[in-house]
Amino acid sequence: MANQLEQMGAKLKTELFLKGRLRHDLSLEEKRALEDSVVDVVTLKPRTTLVERGERIENSFYIIEGTMMRHLDNQRGERQLVGLNVVGDFVDLHGFPMKRLDHNVASLDRVTLAKVPHKAIAELVDRFPHLARAMWFSTLLDAAMHREWIFRLGRLNAEGRIAHLVSEIIERLKFVGRYDGTNLPVPLLQRDYAEACGITSVHANRSFRNLRERGILDPQGDGKIAILDERALNKLGEFDGDYLYGDGDLALESLDDR
């Protein structure tokens, strides 16, 4: 059984769900039920579309390995990145009640996904109200990040926008133990940063050069970045990770009402 495996230290497909946030508030029975809802494991090659805007969906996908990106395209086919999902995230859990997404979802790098049918999610919601609340919480984290992305686009300059985005990725990876303190393991290219930050690729290139010259980070090609001064990075991006609900004033100890 999944709970027995967890007690023995075996790796579960969904073991990083809400890690660093409220996973500690889930019972072993809830963790087992979530694990048992997985019906298949799917692997995507880099830059592969998982869900297209408007198509009907009957499954949600949880990231075991890799990074997914959300994007909208204008009438000329130009892309705007509107979100990222990392290891431990459900990519499209909000598709459970909505059945269609208003944006596209694609892999950034090679991604391994756990497939969970909406029918299984409906059963989890009925059987485990507390787990349902945790899953609702995870979708609201996406909403909190979207608001922060709006702040970033509206109030920071190009270098600040890039710094804020990198800081957010680092913080999210820390929750799940995927950041080594130096190397950013999310291979966004400079054009991706441009599309996420509302700037041109030329402006992104110039901004990265300035960040390197200031000793904050070092772009190393193919999306690889070495972080040289995380404190300066956070300061430049006006980054306060409270909105991720892990540490700080917004952190929660429990999902229960008091």
Side-chain angles (χ1 to χ4, degrees), residues 146-169:
H146 288 158
R147 286 187 288 273
E148 194 73 12
W149 280 42
I150 293 170
F151 159 76
R152 185 179 73 224
L153 291 174
R155 288 292 175 259
L156 300 179
N157 63 18
E159 291 175 26
R161 295 176 191 182
I162 291 172
H164 187 283
L165 177 56
V166 174
S167 294
E168 178 185 282
I169 295 171

Side-chain angles (χ1 to χ4, degrees), residues 35 37 42 47 80 89-90 137 154 158 165 189 194 199 234 241:
E35 182 73 10
S37 70
V42 178
R47 310 267 172 178
Q80 176 74 34
D89 290 348
F90 268 97
F137 173 84
L165 177 56
L189 302 177
I199 57 180
N234 291 342

